[in-house]
């Protein structure tokens, strides 16, 4: 179950921030989860498939 308070919009916004700061090639599930301060498996709970974030 996705963490309360972590919305699809927040994930996308933070992913964009990270890509802008470090470069698109730096962006991964691992780096994004670290940037969000959550564990990698927790980020997967917000995703249907690779590259597609679930609609809450």
């Amino acid at each position: 179950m996705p963490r309360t308070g972590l919305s699809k919009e927040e994930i996308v916004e933070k992913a964009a921030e990270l890509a802008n700061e470090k470069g698109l090639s730096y962006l991964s599930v691992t780096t994004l989860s670290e940037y969000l301060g959550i564990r990698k498996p927790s980020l997967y709970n917000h995703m249907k498939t690779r590259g597609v974030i679930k609609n809450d």
Side-chain angles (χ1 to χ4, degrees):
M1 175 175 263
R3 183 182 99 185
T4 304
L6 184 59
S7 69
K8 171 183 159 181
E9 292 78 18
E10 182 179 12
I11 294 169
V12 171
E13 180 180 315
K14 294 297 183 181
E17 284 177 14
L18 184 59
N20 285 333
E21 289 176 13
K22 303 282 186 170
L24 189 56
S25 62
Y26 184 80
L27 185 62
S28 69
V29 172
T30 301
T31 58
L32 180 57
S33 62
E34 290 171 356
Y35 193 70
L36 291 167
I38 62 174
R39 293 180 33 219
K40 187 165 72 170
S42 299
L43 185 57
Y44 280 111
N45 288 333
H46 293 277
M47 302 171 74
K48 287 183 185 177
T49 60
R50 184 176 182 203
V52 179
I53 299 173
K54 289 181 185 177
N55 291 326
D56 294 346

